[in-house]
Amino acid sequence: MDEYRIEGGHRLQGSVRVQGAKNSALPILAACAVCRGISVIHNCPQLSDIDATINILRHLGCKVTVEGHTVTVDSTQINTGHVPDTLMQEMRSSVIFLGAIAARMGKASVSLPGGCEIGLRPIDLHLDALRKLGAVVTEEGGHIYLDCPEGMKGSVISLSFPSVGATENVLIAACTAKGTTTLVNAAREPEISDLADFLNRCGARITGAGEGIITIEGVSALHGAQHHVIPDRIVAASYMLAAAVTHGNVTLQNIIPAHLGPVTALLQEAGCDIRVHEKQLNISAPSQLKAMPTVRTMPYPGFPTDVQAPMMAACCIADGTTIVIETIFESRFRHVPELCRFGADILVDGRIAVVKGVNVLHAATVSAPDLRGGVALVLAGLAAQGQTTVRELQHIDRGYESLADELSRLGADIRRVKNEDGSKQENGNADLKE
Ligand code: EPZ
């Protein structure tokens, strides 16, 4: 497997164009399955999770072509409602196909996505919501079977938790339901609004996306459409934190500053100077970050759980103690033992981590435990003295396009190497091109 070799202590400077949002592109691509026509999705990041989603679309019968960051999906023909386990298990968020396939085919069968590194990831809210839309849902032998031969029927659905995935499944399934659906306590993440924008371009009638109550007026069918995926706010936050941990000065291009509110506020509290101008943001970090008293993850518009691990890396070298409270996922501190290998001082009790800033981190050999935990280890390596090795890069490849290339361009000393024989180093690009 590949690994990153990072020589820490280099101040990051320059500008980076932020990729399209993975967590917007995934549901939008899945939603193509309910559209009878050709959709062209621009600004799609080049990631393994996108590849997994395209594999499922092709299995369903869609013709999919990829040219750079543009994915064209011809879903005129869909000839199955079954997704094999092998494809479902490539990416747990494939559960987002449930609503699209059931709405299009009148039935769907997929394997239970199962948990992942950050938690059990139950889908009870998805299944209860799809039942409210008239689907008969059965679970047997680790598989889910949906049956709605008469199509979906509009309903009032209240989510006990503003689940992003459950909101997305309802949006997609309810577009062609008979009658109107009202979704109460819907997730408000920007990716929800982006999905709704795409579906409305396809002929759907969705209002209120981005608020807590969303109304979907059913239409008979959806056609294809062109769409430009919004920038990835989590990747943007990760680059802001790379600047913060290296006392750097970095400009982010192609972002939506309003999506970064809580991250910007916390980094300003830590002493960073952040200036926003239309679709770009400049962050200039102090030589020593001040500790932020509390980092509490919340559903949007609160502080994003996906930025908790990268933010914790910055807390490790701040002047003071930060209390990190992870309210969304039950097992999202797996980066803590790896950060402690750098000499970080972190105590965990349940969903609370007490991070006491230290003066210096020492390079370490660490393994990425999951996608965002992996990036936290890269940030720690950028700040640490000496040469850090980060393994298990497949986690990071799920969400960050050419991370080492981009960081190198900003002045980091980071290389992606193969470690089969422990010595062979890739020349050229810092990021290995498969
Ligand atoms: C989406 O996951 C994102 N993934 C996650 O990003 C993100 O962390 C999460 O939203 C929260 O913002 C994608 O968009 C592909 P949820 P999702 O349903 O939809 C519980 C990343 O790093 N829950 O809002 O799975 C669940 O266990 C990933 O890019 C139920 O109990 O998140 C969790 O505790 C990680 N029952 C909480 O709700 C359900 O039926 C939030 O889950 C569904 C969820």
Side-chain angles (χ1 to χ4, degrees), residues 4 6 309-310 313 334-335 338-339 342 366-381 390-393 395-397 400 403:
Y4 284 145
I6 305 167
R334 295 176 71 238
H335 44 284
E338 298 299 302
L339 285 172
F342 287 94
V366 290
S367 297
D370 53 58
L371 166 53
R372 308 300 176 183
V375 173
L377 303 181
V378 171
L379 298 184
V390 181
R391 295 183 168 142
E392 305 301 327
L393 300 188
H395 293 293
I396 299 175
D397 293 343
Y400 290 78
L403 180 65

Side-chain angles (χ1 to χ4, degrees), residues 22-23 26 92-93 118 121-126 161-165 189 305-306 328-330 332 371-372:
K22 163 179 86 81
N23 291 348
L26 295 180
R92 72 153 304 285
S93 55
I118 63 176
R121 310 297 291 274
I123 59 167
D124 54 314
L125 299 177
H126 298 242
F161 179 87
S163 155
V164 170
E189 276 69 3
T305 174
D306 294 347
I328 306 291
F329 288 105
E330 70 272 21
R332 205 166 198 177
L371 166 53
R372 308 300 176 183

Side-chain angles (χ1 to χ4, degrees), residues 26 45-55 90-91 394-400:
L26 295 180
Q46 294 169 340
L47 304 167
S48 53
D49 273 6
I50 298 288
D51 298 342
T53 301
I54 290 171
N55 290 339
E90 267 183 45
M91 180 183 64
Q394 70 278 11
H395 293 293
I396 299 175
D397 293 343
R398 289 187 41 227
Y400 290 78

Side-chain angles (χ1 to χ4, degrees), residues 285-302:
S287 51
Q288 163 86 57
L289 293 168
K290 288 196 294 269
M292 298 148 273
T294 307
V295 175
R296 176 185 281 107
T297 65
M298 296 294 284
Y300 193 88

Side-chain angles (χ1 to χ4, degrees), residues 60-391:
L60 294 173
C62 302
K63 293 189 195 66
V64 184
T65 53
V66 182
E67 279 166 63
H69 292 95
T70 295
V71 178
T72 301
V73 182
D74 180 349
S75 49
T76 315
Q77 289 299 323
I78 298 267
N79 42 41
T80 176
H82 171 66
V83 181
D85 295 6
T86 44
L87 293 180
M88 277 302 285
Q89 270 135 30
E90 267 183 45
M91 180 183 64
R92 72 153 304 285
S93 55
S94 316
V95 68
I96 199 62
F97 272 96
L98 258 187
I101 298 171
R104 177 71 184 265
M105 302 297 288
K107 61 183 179 184
S109 59
V110 300
S111 61
L112 267 171
C116 73
E117 305 84 7
I118 63 176
L120 288 172
R121 310 297 291 274
I123 59 167
D124 54 314
L125 299 177
H126 298 242
L127 301 184
D128 292 348
L130 292 167
R131 285 189 181 99
K132 289 251 178 60
L133 289 171
V136 175
V137 181
T138 45
E139 295 176 54
E140 204 179 300
H143 288 82
I144 306 161
Y145 302 93
L146 258 75
D147 210 21
C148 48
E150 313 299 317
M152 303 279 188
K153 279 190 295 301
S155 173
V156 177
I157 299 168
S158 290
L159 294 177
S160 56
F161 179 87
S163 155
V164 170
T167 299
E168 290 164 347
N169 251 327
V170 170
L171 279 195
I172 296 169
C175 281
T176 55
K178 294 181 190 62
T180 300
T181 297
T182 303
L183 180 59
V184 181
N185 197 24
R188 301 168 184 224
E189 276 69 3
E191 294 76 27
I192 300 291
S193 302
D194 204 28
L195 172 62
D197 289 348
F198 168 67
L199 289 167
N200 282 338
R201 284 209 181 95
C202 296
R205 290 203 195 124
I206 301 169
T207 50
E211 330 258 314
I213 297 182
I214 302 178
T215 304
I216 307 113
E217 210 183 306
V219 295
S220 54
L222 297 186
H223 48 72
Q226 296 235 22
H227 187 77
H228 194 98
V229 172
I230 57 171
D232 193 312
R233 60 194 169 98
I234 309 302
V235 170
S238 306
Y239 284 118
M240 291 169 76
L241 285 157
V245 300
T246 59
H247 336 302
N249 184 326
V250 172
T251 297
L252 277 63
Q253 314 276 0
N254 179 46
I255 59 154
I256 301 176
H259 292 171
L260 288 157
V263 176
T264 302
L266 276 177
L267 285 175
Q268 284 169 330
E269 221 180 300
C272 295
D273 178 45
I274 297 177
R275 293 161 199 243
V276 161
H277 179 66
E278 290 173 3
K279 297 187 80 172
Q280 68 177 27
L281 172 151
N282 173 266
I283 176 170
S284 173
S287 51
Q288 163 86 57
L289 293 168
K290 288 196 294 269
M292 298 148 273
T294 307
V295 175
R296 176 185 281 107
T297 65
M298 296 294 284
Y300 193 88
F303 183 84
T305 174
D306 294 347
V307 183
Q308 179 257 105
M311 178 62 84
M312 189 184 284
C315 298
C316 291
I317 51 169
D319 178 16
T321 298
T322 302
I323 308 288
V324 179
I325 306 164
E326 173 55 60
T327 70
I328 306 291
F329 288 105
E330 70 272 21
S331 158
R332 205 166 198 177
F333 282 148
R334 295 176 71 238
H335 44 284
V336 169
E338 298 299 302
L339 285 172
C340 291
R341 295 165 72 90
F342 287 94
D345 180 349
I346 309 170
L347 173 78
V348 169
D349 184 352
R351 292 196 181 203
I352 294 175
V354 180
V355 186
K356 223 165 125 201
V358 295
N359 290 330
V360 68
L361 294 178
H362 299 287
T365 295
V366 290
S367 297
D370 53 58
L371 166 53
R372 308 300 176 183
V375 173
L377 303 181
V378 171
L379 298 184
L382 294 176
Q385 283 179 354
Q387 188 182 82
T388 287
T389 296
V390 181
R391 295 183 168 142

